[in-house]
């Protein structure tokens, strides 16, 4: 529809005027205006003038909506805040914006108020922009990486227990069959990694970006491997060491609060990197994979597990993810990773995409957050809980629609004679 530039618009009318098609959900605002069918399954209510300012002041619509929603200025009915996935599907499929003319923009601003173009302070859960983060150090420096990890992972171990479940595993699971539980799928993921690495008793494993130590414990408990995990999160390292001791694995397993670049040991038989590469930065792949090559013994294996794009262009994770979830994160395609692994002198043996397993994993985490919503809110506050619900639902949708993928790349270190110790056929 076009805007009558002689008319003063309500908030709901202004919103509707920007759409190409009829609104598939209900929208109401604090000025008493409304649009969309009354019996729509999902209802968005703009509660405050601050919410309107969030929507009008940001040039990025996803970030604008996220700010208003996280702050509680934009309320959602019809879907649980812990798992707003169905509402996001409706938004993605049903709302198509059009570009208004210059005169229409003037009418919109005049109707809604010029003062709303002034950006309010963002919710406290939002990290500074990438430009402002320059003050925290060079991107992917030791200090800035530590701060980025702290922003996301040092929230509350109890919160993560409620959302992730008993495995305390915050990476893509592997569902061995349709009816597998999240715990079964996480155990299956760790075991697939172990089998790809051909772990055997007495070997040494380095797990970088080890989280709460799930892979370290699995390797020690199930394969008799001496496993060292490192993480930049102090909260993760503390929890992991306590769990290792509780399971009686401290003779084989250890988790350190340490940047992987400070690992002094070398000649590892295997290295697992599960969910770390997203934080490295594409321009740092050569030094990253070069470091892993140097840490491996000849014939040693590397398993790199990470989120990827469906193309090989290096891209940021988007403004919402960058500000609220993974500051400084960067994604690219699996081809770029394979090339970097090979350029580092490692021989790629196997490469696979398990993206649909991540959609299932995120659905399970969202269900956990919704089930334990009140306790999660009590632990971290409503704003942070809403960030997590929005982030997991949006990521699930992105994996389902092939906007992002999850790849395993298995490689081995070649010795001076060209041998890798790899069998003629895969054994996993």
């Amino acid at each position: 529809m076009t805007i009558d530039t002689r008319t003063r618009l309500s908030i709901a009318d202004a919103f509707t005027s920007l759409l190409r098609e009829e609104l598939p959900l209900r929208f109401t605002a604090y000025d008493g205006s409304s649009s969309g069918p009354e019996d729509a399954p999902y209802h968005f209510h703009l509660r405050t003038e601050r919410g309107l300012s969030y929507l009008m002041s940001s040039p990025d619509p996803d970030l604008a909506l996220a700010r208003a929603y996280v702050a509680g200025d934009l309320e959602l009915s019809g879907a649980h805040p812990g798992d707003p996935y169905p509402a996001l599907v409706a938004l993605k499929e049903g709302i198509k914006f059009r570009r208004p003319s210059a005169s229409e923009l003037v009418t919109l601003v005049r109707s809604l108020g010029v003062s709303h173009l002034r950006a309010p302070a963002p919710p406290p859960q939002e990290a500074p922009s990438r430009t402002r983060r320059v003050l925290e150090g060079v991107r992917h420096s030791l200090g800035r990486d530590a701060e980025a990890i702290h922003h996301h992972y040092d929230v509350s171990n109890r919160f993560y227990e409620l959302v992730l479940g008993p495995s305390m595993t915050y990476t893509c699971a592997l569902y061995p069959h349709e009816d597998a539980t999240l715990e079964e799928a996480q155990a299956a993921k760790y075991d697939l990694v172990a089998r790809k690495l051909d772990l055997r008793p007495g070997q040494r494993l380095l797990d970088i970006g080890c989280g709460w130590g799930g892979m370290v414990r699995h390797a020690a408990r199930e394969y008799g491997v001496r496993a060292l995990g490192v993480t930049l999160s102090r909260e993760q390292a503390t929890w992991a060491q306590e769990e290792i001791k509780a399971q009686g694995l401290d003779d084989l397993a250890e988790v350190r609060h340490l940047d992987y670049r400070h690992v002094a040991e070398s000649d590892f038989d295997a290295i697992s990197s599960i969910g770390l590469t997203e934080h490295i930065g594409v321009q740092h792949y050569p030094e990253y994979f070069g470091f892993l090559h140097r840490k491996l013994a000849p014939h040693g294996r590397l398993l790199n597990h990470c989120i990827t794009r469906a193309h090989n262009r290096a891209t940021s994770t988007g403004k919402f993810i960058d500000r609220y979830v993974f500051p400084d994160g960067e994604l690219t395609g699996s081809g770029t990773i394979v090339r970097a692994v090979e350029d580092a002198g490692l021989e790629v043996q196997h490469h696979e995409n398990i993206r649909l397993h991540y959609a299932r994993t995120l659905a399970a985490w969202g269900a956990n957050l919704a089930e334990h919503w009140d306790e999660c809110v009590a632990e971290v506050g409503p704003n942070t809980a809403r960030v997590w619900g929005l982030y997991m639902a949006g990521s699930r949708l992105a994996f389902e629609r092939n906007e992002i993928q999850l790849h395993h790349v298995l490689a081995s270190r070649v010795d001076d004679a060209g041998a890798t110790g790899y069998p003629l056929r895969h054994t996993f």
Side-chain angles (χ1 to χ4, degrees), residues 8-153:
R8 196 172 191 86
L9 302 174
S10 68
I11 294 174
D13 287 340
F15 174 65
T16 305
S17 72
L18 297 174
L19 302 177
R20 285 193 240 155
E21 300 171 3
E22 190 173 336
L23 190 64
L25 47 81
R26 183 72 171 167
F27 176 79
T28 58
Y30 63 85
D31 67 349
S33 63
S34 62
S35 60
E38 293 185 13
D39 60 349
Y42 308 111
H43 175 187
F44 287 86
H45 177 61
L46 186 63
R47 295 180 55 248
T48 66
E49 288 200 49
R50 182 179 66 177
L52 180 60
S53 295
Y54 279 138
L55 297 180
M56 290 182 62
S57 62
S58 174
D60 185 282
D62 289 342
L63 185 59
L65 287 167
R67 284 172 171 166
Y69 179 74
V70 168
D73 297 319
L74 181 64
E75 292 182 334
L76 167 64
S77 302
H80 197 287
D83 189 15
Y85 169 79
L88 291 190
V89 172
L91 280 172
K92 187 91 170 177
E93 294 178 348
I95 295 189
K96 311 292 182 187
F97 287 103
R98 68 179 185 87
R99 186 183 296 276
S101 66
S103 59
E104 288 177 325
L105 277 175
V106 170
T107 300
L108 287 169
V109 172
R110 186 179 68 241
S111 296
L112 300 179
V114 176
S115 63
H116 291 117
L117 293 176
R118 188 180 304 114
Q125 290 71 26
E126 182 173 316
S129 68
R130 292 199 176 198
T131 301
R132 288 184 57 196
R133 270 181 243 150
V134 171
L135 300 175
E136 300 171 5
V138 176
R139 191 175 174 203
H140 299 299
S141 64
L142 295 174
R144 186 158 157 180
D145 277 354
E147 179 56 34
I149 294 301
H150 169 74
H151 177 85
H152 186 67
Y153 292 100

Side-chain angles (χ1 to χ4, degrees), residues 342-361:
E342 292 175 335
D343 287 349
L346 296 162
E347 183 174 51
V348 172
Q349 305 289 357
H350 188 262
H351 172 203
E352 70 172 313
N353 179 9
I354 56 172
R355 71 175 174 89
L356 294 180
H357 292 262
Y358 217 156
R360 284 175 175 259
T361 305

Side-chain angles (χ1 to χ4, degrees), residues 333-346:
S334 63
T336 303
I337 293 170
V338 168
R339 182 177 64 186
V341 170
E342 292 175 335
D343 287 349
L346 296 162

Side-chain angles (χ1 to χ4, degrees), residues 198-268:
D198 194 29
L199 295 182
R200 297 186 299 277
Q203 288 186 326
R204 298 170 62 237
L205 167 71
L206 172 63
D207 185 37
I208 58 174
C210 68
W212 291 269
M215 183 64 205
V216 168
R217 294 193 304 279
H218 186 90
R221 184 180 60 247
E222 304 298 330
Y223 288 85
V225 168
R226 289 177 291 151
L228 169 63
V230 294
T231 173
L232 278 175
S233 167
R234 188 179 298 278
E235 292 289 325
Q236 287 180 336
T238 299
W239 191 99
Q241 277 298 102
E242 290 174 354
E243 187 65 17
I244 286 169
K245 188 172 183 61
Q247 293 189 20
L249 297 171
D250 38 340
D251 60 328
L252 288 174
E254 179 188 1
V255 168
R256 299 175 190 165
H257 176 227
L258 186 71
D259 191 292
Y260 77 92
R261 289 165 283 196
H262 288 161
V263 172
E265 296 93 330
S266 58
D267 286 329
F268 288 95

Side-chain angles (χ1 to χ4, degrees), residues 157-171:
N157 281 334
R158 179 56 184 157
F159 174 79
Y160 280 110
E161 288 172 350
L162 293 166
V163 175
L164 304 181
S167 74
M168 282 294 274
T169 300
Y170 185 30
T171 47

